[in-house]
Amino acid sequence: MEGDCAESLVTIKNIERELICPACKELFTHPLILPCQHSICHKCVKELLLLTLDDSFNDVASESSCHSSPRLRVQSPSMDKIDRINRAGWKRNSLTPRTTTFPCPGCEHDIDLGERGINGLFRNFTLETIVERYRQAARAATAIMCDLCKPPPQESTKSCMDCSASYCNECFKIYHPWGTVKAQHEYVGPTTNFRPKILMCPEHEMERVNMYCELCRRPVCHLCKLGGNHSNHRVTTISSAYKTLKEKLSKDIDYLIGKESQVKSQISELNLLMKETECNGERAKEEATSHFDKLFEVLEEKKSSIIKAIDVSKKLRLDKFQTQMEEYQGLLENNGLVGYAQEVLKETDQSCFVQTAKQLHLRIQKATESLKTFRPAAQTSFEDYVVDASKQEELLGELAFFSNGVDIPEINEEQSKIYNKALICWHHPEKKNKADSYILEYRKISREEEMLTWNEIEVHSTNKVISDLESNSSYAFRVRGYKGSVCSPCSKEVIFHTTPAPVFSFLFDEKCGYNNEHLLLNLKRDRVDSRAGFSLLLAAERIQVGCYTSLDYIIGDTGITKGKHFWALRVEPYSYMVKVGVASNDKLQEWLHNPRDISSPRYEQDSGHDSGSEDTCFDSAQPFTLVTVGMKKFFVPKSPTSSNEPENRVLPMPTCIGIFLDYDKGKVGFYDADHMKCLYERQVDCSGTMYPAFALMGSGGIQLEEPIAAKYLEYQNDM
């Protein structure tokens, strides 16, 4: 028993996140259900309405201030106005802004409470009960005290749901005596959560809810359905809604419980991603610090060289000034040059005086001229040594995160294709920082298992062939680039659809029914072209009198006797008339050996595309089905179950046409193979061997889709 209590306690505590009000971020208190189905505390709804009211009054105040005195103020809303919000909301035709609309804190959609305001909302009693159980589990050691005891109160043993109070044993006997009406009250264990026995309609307070509105997704009473807001809505009984919703919820819960291992593995993956994020974040910080340290080193070196250059220039200038100053000091009496000249004047020997005086006189003259035109020996300004760092400051201001050195690759949907294998190609739109290698990721998209893990393949080129894809499935692909240890973000996901069945390999048969006068088959036998010869020109006069013009048939060299198969082909845009599809061996023999059988699609009237026996007998399955393609159009055969108007039967010709044959079910479908979209489907009689069948008239060409081969692709890359 103690183990069960402990397990219940853990379970209750584990759901705390679901019990938090999105507005106040605390445990729900009297939660109300909003029209968007989110729950919010009663007090939080009032506060949100009050904030909306304040905003509306502030808007009025700002508008009034534009047209009147700035001293004019709008008073804050009174309690009477707030009560009006709680009771019935404001009328629609009121000149005052409505305040019954506010954004839901859970989904941020605007919620309109209507004319009844808060009173029109249901209390979420189920959520309230769960919150109370959580509170009790959280305060297991705290007892609920009796509400009727005189101080000090005793610990309660029962709670009366009719009285909405808790009692100890003595008080319960006093207030619920035997033989009275109160003795019949419903009592439970001690609780602080009191809920009504019957859920009443907030629109019609005296009526209990007994129906469920499927449109509004809320309980309603019979008056709501008869003449209220739900009169035109689809409703069901509460019991039926209870059963349906409980079954759905139980099924969803069972599904999630069944996926517990998958959830745990994804939680483990998230934990690894969190650890990887932590490590990558620290590494990014270290790299950023390293880059800034290098910038600091460059700045310090530059600073040292510039300061040194300034010091050298300053010393040189000061030395020049010092020399000039000493020269000028020598011009003073009894100093320097003047003092020396005065001593020379004392020489009495004429020859000796003349010998010295000449040079001295020149020096005196030079000093005299310098007095007349005084010039400092150096400049005091250091304008040439001002550092211009404006560009560098601008660059540093623009310093930001680089896209980790690798451009994000982009999957090229035009070059990629799905056939017998998947060829996925990608490129770099920016063409600046290409990656050295790539990781291609893909996963199957399934409604049952939407969160399948990604399969990863390392690639050293810009394309990859994948062989392990399932038929008739959708796959998501994405790619990321690596340059050394640097990784780019993943590209945008691209979804491709695989063929509806395994690809059927065959070539054109050059023996059975092949007319080499009208048809030209290439050496690989995967392409056929129609060429008009002299025989057609010589018979041209018969055409004007309603003669039938022959179709030239060619078939595949391999037959089908069971299973599902898919193949694709391309019809040249210039083709006049081409027929593609399937036909049984017996029907082909009949066509080829009875060339004048005009009921056969081998013969077409001059009018062209709307003729052919495959369009005349659509009420039962035939041993062949052919569709007409030509003049850049795809012609859907007539059908008894759909419109046969020309505008509904003529479609643009797909670049690549796919044909899907389910031999066992006797069904053939024609596809836009580039998008794997079915254009037309019908029953076909598969009682014999079925062959891919083709027919051409006039100029035209058919190219069988080439299977994707990994070796051929590698060769193309090398080239």
Side-chain angles (χ1 to χ4, degrees):
M1 187 69 179
E2 292 179 359
D4 294 341
C5 292
E7 183 178 353
S8 176
L9 177 62
V10 172
T11 303
I12 288 293
K13 287 191 174 183
N14 285 343
I15 65 172
E16 179 179 1
R17 181 183 177 187
E18 304 296 326
L19 310 180
I20 300 297
C21 173
C24 61
K25 306 301 180 184
E26 297 179 357
L27 289 175
F28 281 106
T29 304
H30 304 303
L32 301 177
I33 303 176
L34 301 179
C36 62
Q37 302 303 306
H38 289 104
S39 294
I40 186 173
C41 296
H42 183 275
K43 60 180 178 62
C44 294
V45 177
K46 285 187 175 182
E47 291 174 0
L48 287 171
L49 288 172
L50 183 59
L51 288 174
T52 309
L53 182 64
D54 287 341
D55 291 341
S56 64
F57 271 92
N58 289 335
D59 293 339
V60 173
S62 61
E63 292 176 4
S64 301
S65 64
C66 297
H67 304 286
S68 59
S69 170
R71 295 184 180 181
L72 181 62
R73 295 182 180 178
V74 178
Q75 296 179 356
S76 59
S78 63
M79 291 305 298
D80 177 63
K81 292 176 181 175
I82 297 174
D83 290 339
R84 237 192 317 161
I85 295 171
N86 297 338
R87 289 198 306 271
W90 290 359
K91 295 182 180 179
R92 294 182 181 273
N93 59 358
S94 174
L95 296 177
T96 312
R98 294 186 64 204
T99 57
T100 57
T101 301
F102 63 92
C104 170
C107 62
E108 298 184 356
H109 286 90
D110 287 338
I111 302 300
D112 189 353
L113 298 183
E115 300 298 329
R116 289 185 56 80
I118 295 179
N119 287 347
L121 300 177
F122 279 105
R123 276 178 65 183
N124 194 336
F125 290 109
T126 302
L127 177 58
E128 204 168 329
T129 301
I130 296 173
V131 170
E132 177 58 26
R133 288 209 302 266
Y134 174 82
R135 293 182 189 275
Q136 291 181 5
R139 60 167 189 259
T142 305
I144 298 175
M145 309 310 291
C146 177
D147 295 325
L148 282 300
C149 278
K150 294 181 180 180
Q154 301 295 316
E155 182 177 342
S156 65
T157 57
K158 299 179 181 66
S159 291
C160 179
M161 302 304 291
D162 296 275
C163 301
S164 298
S166 297
Y167 301 88
C168 63
N169 285 331
E170 296 300 325
C171 290
F172 187 80
K173 292 177 183 178
I174 295 173
Y175 290 97
H176 296 76
W178 288 103
T180 64
V181 176
K182 286 191 173 183
Q184 305 300 320
H185 284 187
E186 178 186 359
Y187 64 90
V188 296
T191 182
T192 58
N193 178 41
F194 300 99
R195 54 190 290 180
K197 294 181 180 179
I198 300 174
L199 191 62
M200 308 302 290
C201 176
E203 297 286 338
H204 309 92
E205 297 177 357
M206 302 303 294
E207 299 293 332
R208 61 180 295 178
V209 295
N210 54 4
M211 288 180 283
Y212 181 80
C213 178
E214 296 182 354
L215 179 63
C216 302
R217 296 183 297 175
R218 61 177 290 172
V220 295
C221 70
H222 69 283
L223 293 180
C224 294
K225 176 59 179 173
L226 290 175
N229 296 330
H230 308 270
S231 57
N232 296 323
H233 296 178
R234 182 178 176 181
V235 298
T236 183
T237 62
I238 284 289
S239 59
S240 176
Y242 169 81
K243 182 179 179 181
T244 301
L245 292 175
K246 192 164 188 177
E247 287 178 356
K248 288 182 178 179
L249 185 59
S250 299
K251 185 177 180 181
D252 292 340
I253 292 173
D254 292 340
Y255 174 81
L256 291 176
I257 293 175
K259 299 296 180 182
E260 186 173 356
S261 59
Q262 181 180 344
V263 173
K264 287 181 178 179
S265 67
Q266 290 170 359
I267 291 174
S268 301
E269 183 178 352
L270 289 174
N271 285 327
L272 293 175
L273 291 175
M274 289 175 64
K275 292 179 180 178
E276 185 178 351
T277 302
E278 184 74 25
C279 295
N280 291 341
E282 292 299 322
R283 188 182 299 113
K285 284 171 60 177
E286 293 175 0
E287 291 179 356
T289 303
S290 174
H291 288 307
F292 277 103
D293 288 341
K294 290 179 180 178
L295 287 176
F296 293 152
E297 290 177 5
V298 172
L299 288 174
E300 284 295 332
E301 291 178 2
K302 207 67 178 175
K303 175 184 174 182
S304 299
S305 62
I306 289 176
I307 295 300
K308 184 178 180 180
I310 293 174
D311 287 339
V312 170
S313 179
K314 182 182 73 172
K315 184 177 182 304
L316 182 61
R317 297 183 189 193
L318 290 176
D319 290 343
K320 289 182 179 180
F321 280 126
Q322 183 64 32
T323 302
Q324 188 178 23
M325 187 174 63
E326 290 176 355
E327 290 178 355
Y328 274 87
Q329 285 178 346
L331 300 180
L332 298 175
E333 187 178 1
N334 299 322
N335 286 323
L337 183 60
V338 174
Y340 175 66
Q342 289 174 342
E343 292 298 324
V344 170
L345 287 174
K346 295 178 182 180
E347 177 62 48
T348 56
D349 189 313
Q350 293 182 355
S351 59
C352 291
F353 177 81
V354 170
Q355 182 183 11
T356 305
K358 183 60 179 176
Q359 181 65 24
L360 182 60
H361 182 256
L362 293 174
R363 291 177 63 191
I364 292 294
Q365 280 186 329
K366 188 176 180 180
T368 303
E369 290 176 0
S370 66
L371 287 174
K372 295 178 181 179
T373 57
F374 175 75
R375 289 183 180 178
Q379 292 184 355
T380 60
S381 172
F382 279 79
E383 293 180 353
D384 296 338
Y385 289 86
V386 175
V387 177
D388 181 12
S390 58
K391 293 183 179 180
Q392 287 74 13
E393 288 176 3
E394 184 178 352
L395 289 174
L396 288 174
E398 295 175 354
L399 189 65
F401 293 111
F402 186 54
S403 61
N404 63 29
V406 183
D407 291 338
I408 302 175
E410 183 178 295
I411 293 179
N412 190 324
E413 296 186 52
E414 294 183 358
Q415 294 184 2
S416 301
K417 76 171 186 176
I418 303 288
Y419 195 42
N420 60 318
K421 299 177 183 178
L423 169 61
I424 308 300
C425 304
W426 56 90
H427 66 285
H428 287 278
E430 299 296 331
K431 296 182 179 179
K432 292 180 180 179
N433 299 299
K434 295 185 178 180
D436 300 327
S437 62
Y438 302 89
I439 295 294
L440 176 63
E441 300 180 351
Y442 66 97
R443 67 179 177 186
K444 183 180 177 182
I445 299 175
S446 172
R447 291 183 179 180
E448 291 76 18
E449 299 181 4
E450 295 183 357
M451 296 301 292
L452 289 174
T453 56
W454 290 91
N455 300 299
E456 295 186 353
I457 303 176
E458 185 176 0
V459 186
H460 294 279
S461 61
T462 55
N463 48 54
K464 181 63 180 177
V465 173
I466 302 174
S467 306
D468 59 346
L469 304 185
E470 298 179 13
S471 300
N472 198 24
S473 303
S474 297
Y475 284 84
F477 295 86
R478 67 186 186 187
V479 64
R480 63 179 188 270
Y482 279 87
K483 196 170 188 177
S485 60
V486 180
C487 173
S488 76
C490 286
S491 66
K492 179 182 177 182
E493 290 185 23
V494 176
I495 296 176
F496 290 110
H497 304 279
T498 59
T499 57
V503 171
F504 179 61
S505 297
F506 67 92
L507 297 173
F508 288 119
D509 193 335
E510 60 182 348
K511 297 177 181 178
C512 183
Y514 172 61
N515 186 345
N516 58 7
E517 292 184 2
H518 296 168
L519 299 180
L520 177 63
L521 192 62
N522 69 348
L523 294 177
K524 293 173 64 177
R525 292 195 292 127
D526 63 351
R527 179 182 176 87
V528 64
D529 290 277
S530 173
R531 55 181 181 180
F534 284 107
S535 59
L536 182 61
L537 295 176
L538 291 173
E541 68 274 7
R542 288 186 295 167
I543 297 178
Q544 60 187 350
V545 294
C547 180
Y548 288 86
T549 305
S550 174
L551 279 165
D552 293 301
Y553 264 79
I554 189 168
I555 64 173
D557 62 356
T558 306
I560 300 172
T561 57
K562 63 179 180 179
K564 299 178 181 180
H565 304 275
F566 181 86
W567 60 93
L569 56 102
R570 297 179 185 270
V571 175
E572 293 296 343
Y574 61 80
S575 301
Y576 173 67
M577 179 190 291
V578 173
K579 285 183 173 288
V580 297
V582 294
S584 68
N585 181 47
D586 294 339
K587 196 64 180 178
L588 287 170
Q589 294 295 330
E590 179 184 337
W591 291 343
L592 298 174
H593 289 88
N594 296 281
R596 305 307 297 176
D597 181 7
I598 62 174
S599 67
S600 166
R602 181 178 178 85
Y603 291 92
E604 299 293 330
Q605 287 184 330
D606 301 340
S607 58
H609 300 105
D610 283 336
S611 57
S613 63
E614 72 273 22
D615 295 345
T616 61
C617 302
F618 46 68
D619 55 337
S620 61
Q622 306 172 75
F624 69 95
T625 294
L626 300 170
V627 296
T628 304
V629 182
M631 300 174 65
K632 299 182 180 180
K633 302 294 182 182
F634 180 95
F635 297 87
V636 178
K638 294 177 182 178
S639 170
T641 59
S642 60
S643 173
N644 290 314
E645 297 297 327
E647 59 270 16
N648 297 324
R649 296 180 52 221
V650 181
L651 306 176
M653 184 178 73
T655 305
C656 186
I657 300 172
I659 301 174
F660 167 51
L661 176 63
D662 188 341
Y663 186 95
D664 300 330
K665 292 185 178 180
K667 186 181 293 185
V668 62
F670 298 85
Y671 283 72
D672 177 353
D674 288 333
H675 304 93
M676 291 303 164
K677 178 183 178 182
C678 184
L679 304 177
Y680 172 66
E681 187 179 68
R682 66 166 295 166
Q683 294 296 124
V684 63
D685 181 7
C686 294
S687 56
T689 302
M690 305 298 290
Y691 286 86
F694 312 87
L696 300 92
M697 187 179 77
S699 62
I702 301 174
Q703 173 70 56
L704 298 180
E705 187 69 6
E706 184 178 1
I708 300 171
K711 291 184 178 180
Y712 175 76
L713 184 63
E714 291 173 2
Y715 172 75
Q716 292 293 98
N717 288 335
D718 294 339
M719 293 294 289

Coordinates of all heavy atoms in Angstrom, one line a residue, residues 227-280:
G227 N -33.1 27.6 -28.6 CA -33.2 29.0 -29.0 C -32.0 29.9 -28.7 O -32.1 31.1 -28.9
G228 N -30.9 29.2 -28.3 CA -29.7 30.0 -27.9 C -28.7 30.1 -29.0 O -29.0 29.9 -30.2
N229 N -27.5 30.3 -28.6 CA -26.4 30.4 -29.6 C -26.0 29.2 -30.3 O -25.3 29.2 -31.3 CB -25.1 31.0 -28.9 CG -25.4 32.3 -28.3 OD1 -26.2 33.1 -28.8 ND2 -24.7 32.6 -27.2
H230 N -26.5 28.0 -29.8 CA -26.2 26.7 -30.4 C -27.4 26.1 -31.2 O -27.3 24.9 -31.5 CB -25.7 25.8 -29.4 CG -24.6 26.3 -28.5 ND1 -23.3 26.2 -28.8 CD2 -24.7 27.1 -27.3 CE1 -22.5 26.8 -27.9 NE2 -23.4 27.3 -27.0
S231 N -28.4 26.9 -31.5 CA -29.6 26.3 -32.2 C -29.3 25.7 -33.5 O -29.9 24.7 -33.9 CB -30.6 27.4 -32.3 OG -30.1 28.5 -33.1
N232 N -28.3 26.2 -34.3 CA -28.0 25.7 -35.6 C -26.8 24.8 -35.6 O -26.3 24.4 -36.6 CB -27.8 26.8 -36.6 CG -29.1 27.6 -36.8 OD1 -30.2 27.0 -36.8 ND2 -29.0 28.9 -36.9
H233 N -26.3 24.5 -34.4 CA -25.1 23.7 -34.3 C -25.4 22.2 -34.1 O -26.5 21.9 -33.6 CB -24.2 24.1 -33.1 CG -23.7 25.5 -33.2 ND1 -22.9 26.2 -32.2 CD2 -23.8 26.4 -34.2 CE1 -22.6 27.4 -32.6 NE2 -23.1 27.6 -33.8
R234 N -24.5 21.4 -34.5 CA -24.7 19.9 -34.3 C -24.3 19.6 -32.9 O -23.2 19.9 -32.4 CB -23.8 19.2 -35.3 CG -23.9 17.7 -35.3 CD -23.1 17.0 -36.3 NE -23.2 15.6 -36.2 CZ -22.5 14.7 -37.0 NH1 -21.7 15.2 -37.9 NH2 -22.6 13.4 -36.8
V235 N -25.3 18.9 -32.2 CA -25.0 18.5 -30.8 C -25.2 17.0 -30.7 O -25.8 16.3 -31.5 CB -26.0 19.3 -29.8 CG1 -25.7 20.8 -29.9 CG2 -27.4 18.9 -30.2
T236 N -24.7 16.5 -29.6 CA -24.9 15.1 -29.2 C -25.1 15.0 -27.7 O -24.9 16.0 -27.0 CB -23.6 14.2 -29.6 OG1 -23.9 12.9 -29.4 CG2 -22.4 14.7 -28.9
T237 N -25.5 13.8 -27.2 CA -25.7 13.7 -25.8 C -24.4 13.7 -25.0 O -23.4 13.3 -25.6 CB -26.5 12.4 -25.5 OG1 -25.7 11.3 -25.9 CG2 -27.8 12.4 -26.3
I238 N -24.5 14.1 -23.8 CA -23.3 14.1 -23.0 C -22.7 12.7 -22.8 O -21.5 12.5 -22.9 CB -23.6 14.7 -21.6 CG1 -23.8 16.2 -21.6 CG2 -22.6 14.3 -20.5 CD1 -22.5 16.9 -21.9
S239 N -23.6 11.7 -22.7 CA -23.1 10.3 -22.5 C -22.4 9.9 -23.8 O -21.3 9.2 -23.7 CB -24.2 9.4 -22.2 OG -25.2 9.4 -23.2
S240 N -22.9 10.2 -24.9 CA -22.3 9.8 -26.2 C -20.9 10.5 -26.4 O -19.9 9.9 -26.8 CB -23.2 10.1 -27.4 OG -22.6 9.9 -28.6
A241 N -20.9 11.9 -26.0 CA -19.7 12.6 -26.1 C -18.6 12.1 -25.2 O -17.5 12.0 -25.5 CB -19.9 14.1 -25.9
Y242 N -19.1 11.7 -23.9 CA -18.2 11.2 -22.9 C -17.6 9.9 -23.4 O -16.4 9.7 -23.3 CB -19.0 10.9 -21.7 CG -18.3 10.1 -20.6 CD1 -17.3 10.7 -19.8 CD2 -18.5 8.7 -20.5 CE1 -16.7 9.9 -18.8 CE2 -17.9 8.0 -19.5 CZ -16.9 8.6 -18.7 OH -16.3 7.8 -17.8
K243 N -18.4 9.0 -24.0 CA -17.9 7.7 -24.5 C -16.9 7.9 -25.6 O -15.8 7.3 -25.7 CB -19.1 6.9 -24.9 CG -18.7 5.5 -25.4 CD -19.9 4.7 -25.8 CE -19.5 3.3 -26.3 NZ -20.6 2.5 -26.8
T244 N -17.3 8.8 -26.6 CA -16.4 9.0 -27.8 C -15.1 9.6 -27.4 O -14.0 9.2 -27.8 CB -17.2 9.9 -28.8 OG1 -18.4 9.3 -29.2 CG2 -16.3 10.2 -30.0
L245 N -15.2 10.7 -26.6 CA -13.9 11.4 -26.2 C -13.1 10.5 -25.3 O -11.8 10.6 -25.4 CB -14.3 12.7 -25.5 CG -14.9 13.8 -26.4 CD1 -15.3 15.0 -25.5 CD2 -14.0 14.2 -27.5
K246 N -13.7 9.7 -24.4 CA -12.9 8.9 -23.6 C -12.2 7.8 -24.4 O -11.0 7.4 -24.1 CB -13.8 8.2 -22.5 CG -13.0 7.5 -21.4 CD -13.9 7.3 -20.2 CE -13.0 6.8 -19.0 NZ -13.8 6.6 -17.8
E247 N -12.9 7.2 -25.4 CA -12.3 6.2 -26.3 C -11.1 6.8 -27.0 O -10.0 6.2 -27.1 CB -13.3 5.7 -27.2 CG -14.3 4.7 -26.6 CD -15.3 4.2 -27.6 OE1 -15.3 4.7 -28.7 OE2 -16.2 3.4 -27.2
K248 N -11.3 8.0 -27.6 CA -10.2 8.7 -28.3 C -9.0 9.0 -27.4 O -7.9 8.7 -27.8 CB -10.7 10.0 -28.9 CG -11.7 9.8 -30.1 CD -12.1 11.2 -30.7 CE -13.0 11.0 -31.9 NZ -13.4 12.3 -32.5
L249 N -9.3 9.5 -26.2 CA -8.2 9.9 -25.3 C -7.5 8.6 -24.9 O -6.3 8.6 -24.8 CB -8.8 10.6 -24.1 CG -7.8 11.1 -23.1 CD1 -6.8 12.1 -23.8 CD2 -8.5 11.8 -21.9
S250 N -8.3 7.5 -24.6 CA -7.6 6.3 -24.1 C -6.8 5.7 -25.3 O -5.7 5.2 -25.0 CB -8.7 5.3 -23.7 OG -9.5 5.7 -22.7
K251 N -7.3 5.8 -26.5 CA -6.5 5.3 -27.6 C -5.2 6.1 -27.8 O -4.2 5.5 -28.1 CB -7.4 5.4 -28.9 CG -6.7 4.7 -30.1 CD -7.7 4.8 -31.3 CE -7.0 4.2 -32.6 NZ -8.0 4.2 -33.7
D252 N -5.3 7.4 -27.7 CA -4.1 8.2 -27.9 C -3.1 8.0 -26.8 O -1.9 7.9 -27.0 CB -4.5 9.7 -27.9 CG -5.3 10.1 -29.1 OD1 -5.2 9.4 -30.1 OD2 -6.0 11.1 -29.1
I253 N -3.6 7.8 -25.5 CA -2.7 7.5 -24.4 C -2.0 6.1 -24.6 O -0.8 6.0 -24.4 CB -3.5 7.5 -23.1 CG1 -3.9 9.0 -22.8 CG2 -2.6 7.0 -21.9 CD1 -4.9 9.1 -21.6
D254 N -2.8 5.1 -25.0 CA -2.2 3.8 -25.3 C -1.2 3.9 -26.4 O -0.1 3.2 -26.3 CB -3.3 2.8 -25.7 CG -4.3 2.5 -24.6 OD1 -3.9 2.7 -23.4 OD2 -5.4 2.0 -24.8
Y255 N -1.4 4.7 -27.4 CA -0.5 4.9 -28.5 C 0.8 5.5 -27.9 O 1.9 5.0 -28.2 CB -1.0 5.8 -29.6 CG 0.0 6.1 -30.7 CD1 0.2 5.2 -31.7 CD2 0.6 7.3 -30.6 CE1 1.2 5.5 -32.7 CE2 1.6 7.6 -31.6 CZ 1.8 6.8 -32.6 OH 2.7 7.1 -33.6
L256 N 0.7 6.5 -27.1 CA 1.9 7.2 -26.6 C 2.6 6.2 -25.6 O 3.9 6.2 -25.6 CB 1.5 8.4 -25.8 CG 1.0 9.6 -26.7 CD1 0.5 10.8 -25.8 CD2 2.1 10.0 -27.7
I257 N 1.9 5.5 -24.8 CA 2.5 4.5 -23.9 C 3.2 3.4 -24.7 O 4.4 3.0 -24.4 CB 1.5 3.9 -23.0 CG1 0.9 4.9 -22.0 CG2 2.1 2.7 -22.2 CD1 -0.2 4.4 -21.1
G258 N 2.6 3.0 -25.9 CA 3.3 2.0 -26.7 C 4.6 2.6 -27.4 O 5.4 1.8 -27.8
K259 N 4.7 3.9 -27.5 CA 5.9 4.5 -28.0 C 6.8 5.0 -27.0 O 7.7 5.8 -27.2 CB 5.5 5.7 -28.9 CG 4.6 5.4 -30.1 CD 5.3 4.5 -31.1 CE 4.4 4.1 -32.2 NZ 5.1 3.2 -33.2
E260 N 6.7 4.4 -25.8 CA 7.5 4.8 -24.7 C 9.0 4.7 -25.0 O 9.9 5.5 -24.7 CB 7.2 4.1 -23.4 CG 7.9 4.6 -22.1 CD 7.4 3.9 -20.9 OE1 6.4 3.2 -21.0 OE2 8.0 4.2 -19.8
S261 N 9.4 3.5 -25.6 CA 10.8 3.3 -25.9 C 11.3 4.3 -26.9 O 12.4 4.8 -26.8 CB 11.0 1.9 -26.4 OG 10.2 1.7 -27.6
Q262 N 10.4 4.7 -27.9 CA 10.8 5.7 -28.8 C 11.0 7.0 -28.2 O 12.0 7.7 -28.5 CB 9.8 5.7 -29.9 CG 10.1 6.7 -31.0 CD 9.1 6.8 -32.1 OE1 8.2 5.9 -32.2 NE2 9.1 7.9 -32.9
V263 N 10.1 7.4 -27.3 CA 10.2 8.6 -26.5 C 11.5 8.7 -25.7 O 12.2 9.7 -25.7 CB 9.0 8.9 -25.7 CG1 9.1 10.1 -24.8 CG2 7.7 9.0 -26.5
K264 N 11.8 7.5 -25.0 CA 13.0 7.5 -24.2 C 14.2 7.7 -25.0 O 15.2 8.3 -24.6 CB 13.0 6.2 -23.4 CG 12.0 6.1 -22.3 CD 12.1 4.8 -21.5 CE 11.1 4.8 -20.4 NZ 11.2 3.5 -19.6
S265 N 14.2 7.0 -26.2 CA 15.4 7.1 -27.1 C 15.6 8.6 -27.6 O 16.7 9.1 -27.6 CB 15.3 6.2 -28.3 OG 14.2 6.6 -29.1
Q266 N 14.4 9.3 -27.8 CA 14.5 10.6 -28.3 C 14.9 11.6 -27.1 O 15.6 12.6 -27.3 CB 13.2 11.1 -28.9 CG 12.9 10.4 -30.2 CD 11.5 10.6 -30.7 OE1 10.7 11.2 -30.1 NE2 11.2 10.0 -31.9
I267 N 14.5 11.2 -25.9 CA 14.9 12.0 -24.7 C 16.4 11.8 -24.5 O 17.2 12.8 -24.3 CB 14.2 11.5 -23.5 CG1 12.7 11.9 -23.5 CG2 14.8 12.1 -22.2 CD1 11.8 11.4 -22.4
S268 N 16.9 10.6 -24.7 CA 18.4 10.4 -24.7 C 19.1 11.2 -25.7 O 20.2 11.7 -25.5 CB 18.7 8.9 -24.8 OG 18.1 8.1 -23.8
E269 N 18.5 11.2 -26.9 CA 19.1 12.0 -28.0 C 19.1 13.4 -27.7 O 20.1 14.1 -27.9 CB 18.3 11.7 -29.3 CG 18.9 12.4 -30.5 CD 18.1 12.2 -31.8 OE1 17.2 11.3 -31.7 OE2 18.4 12.8 -32.8
L270 N 18.0 13.9 -27.0 CA 18.0 15.3 -26.6 C 19.0 15.6 -25.5 O 19.7 16.7 -25.5 CB 16.6 15.7 -26.1 CG 15.5 15.8 -27.2 CD1 14.1 16.0 -26.5 CD2 15.8 16.9 -28.1
N271 N 19.2 14.7 -24.6 CA 20.3 14.9 -23.6 C 21.6 14.9 -24.2 O 22.5 15.8 -23.8 CB 20.2 13.7 -22.6 CG 19.1 13.8 -21.6 OD1 18.7 14.9 -21.3 ND2 18.5 12.7 -21.2
L272 N 21.9 14.1 -25.2 CA 23.2 14.1 -25.9 C 23.3 15.5 -26.7 O 24.4 16.1 -26.7 CB 23.3 13.0 -26.9 CG 23.4 11.6 -26.3 CD1 23.4 10.5 -27.4 CD2 24.7 11.4 -25.5
L273 N 22.2 15.9 -27.3 CA 22.2 17.2 -28.0 C 22.5 18.4 -27.0 O 23.2 19.3 -27.4 CB 20.9 17.4 -28.7 CG 20.7 16.5 -29.9 CD1 19.3 16.8 -30.5 CD2 21.7 16.7 -31.0
M274 N 21.9 18.3 -25.8 CA 22.2 19.3 -24.8 C 23.7 19.3 -24.4 O 24.3 20.4 -24.3 CB 21.3 19.1 -23.6 CG 19.8 19.4 -23.9 SD 18.8 19.0 -22.5 CE 19.4 20.1 -21.2
K275 N 24.2 18.1 -24.2 CA 25.6 18.0 -23.8 C 26.5 18.5 -25.0 O 27.5 19.3 -24.8 CB 26.0 16.6 -23.5 CG 25.4 16.1 -22.2 CD 25.8 14.6 -21.9 CE 25.1 14.1 -20.7 NZ 25.5 12.7 -20.4
E276 N 26.1 18.2 -26.2 CA 26.9 18.6 -27.4 C 26.8 20.1 -27.5 O 27.8 20.8 -27.8 CB 26.3 17.9 -28.6 CG 27.1 18.3 -29.9 CD 26.6 17.6 -31.1 OE1 25.7 16.7 -30.9 OE2 27.0 17.9 -32.2
T277 N 25.6 20.7 -27.2 CA 25.4 22.1 -27.3 C 26.3 22.8 -26.2 O 26.9 23.9 -26.5 CB 23.9 22.5 -27.1 OG1 23.1 21.8 -28.1 CG2 23.7 24.0 -27.1
E278 N 26.3 22.2 -25.0 CA 27.2 22.8 -24.0 C 28.6 22.8 -24.4 O 29.3 23.8 -24.2 CB 27.0 21.9 -22.7 CG 27.7 22.5 -21.5 CD 27.1 23.7 -20.9 OE1 25.9 23.9 -21.1 OE2 27.8 24.5 -20.2
C279 N 29.1 21.7 -24.9 CA 30.5 21.6 -25.4 C 30.8 22.6 -26.5 O 31.8 23.3 -26.5 CB 30.8 20.2 -25.8 SG 30.8 18.9 -24.4
N280 N 29.9 22.6 -27.5 CA 30.0 23.5 -28.6 C 30.0 24.9 -28.2 O 30.7 25.8 -28.8 CB 29.0 23.2 -29.7 CG 29.2 21.9 -30.4 OD1 30.3 21.3 -30.3 ND2 28.1 21.3 -31.0

